[in-house]
Amino acid sequence: MAGHTVGAGTNPLEGAALGMSLLESFAKSGAALTIATTHHGELKTLKYSNEVFENACMEFDEVNLKPTYKILWGIPGRSNAINIAERLGLPSSVVDDARELYGAGSAQIDEVITDMECIKKKYGDLLQEAQNNLTESKNLYEKLLLARRNIIEHGRRQRLRKVQEVANAATTARSNLHQKGRELRASTIEYTSPSAIDRMQRAGINSNNRTTAGKKDLMALRRQISSTSDISQPQSEEPLFPTVGDTVYVSSFGKKATVLGVEPSKDEVIVRVGSIKLKLKFTDIMR
């Protein structure tokens, strides 16, 4: 429901009283939303005696003398007739007399309304600034979360890379160590076998530059090797690799173990320590 200039066209006091009574009757009857426009100042006080009422006004630009078409909720409107008349060039004496006739009380009310408008505007500006700051804070918070996740992920990747580098280095070192061990065992077998001595002897016999001292040294070396049980009885020498059923010592456990299987090509042996079955490198066991 809309009412335009409630209580107009009659004595202002009577019109104001009639308008207030009419609006209060609407409120008591539970009427739908009612919008009433008026210049009666008394109607503006209904808000302070009954909470179902609310004041509002249209903002007016006094500098440019035109409305801004913005609704200001909670602020009662005020008349700008005297100010507009002054801006339009009405003689100052007439304007001053009008202000005097209008009364100091009404002027004070207008000042209060003006102050309320200023406070309302400042509040709106502060509210907008607070909303902007809140939005900026949310954006900054999201950026900080993203930066934190990136730092954590970067640290995780760096740790994984370091672990992989150490693992690769350990694998390479272990492989080199095993290769050196195989080469050492192979060279030991080659240079201590009787066939190697025979080859050395034949090479000495076929040489045109052999000497008696060289022959004596060669024969002495052969007698020395032949005198040992390992060379004279090759069938009894200790095998290079453990065999199934052998008992070995696992240094990492500090216990003895039984050999279940041997894989010479991989330098690996399968053992049982108690009830545990393990696959170990030859370097991890002792016979």
Side-chain angles (χ1 to χ4, degrees), residues 84-95:
I84 293 174
E86 183 180 23
R87 293 291 301 275
L88 292 177
L90 198 67
S92 58
S93 59
V94 176
V95 173

Side-chain angles (χ1 to χ4, degrees), residues 60-96:
F60 187 81
D61 185 356
E62 295 185 9
V63 176
N64 298 311
L65 298 180
K66 62 180 182 180
T68 63
Y69 301 101
K70 293 181 180 179
I71 297 179
L72 301 179
W73 289 100
I75 298 177
R78 61 190 179 90
S79 176
N80 293 287
I82 297 178
N83 293 333
I84 293 174
E86 183 180 23
R87 293 291 301 275
L88 292 177
L90 198 67
S92 58
S93 59
V94 176
V95 173
D96 292 340

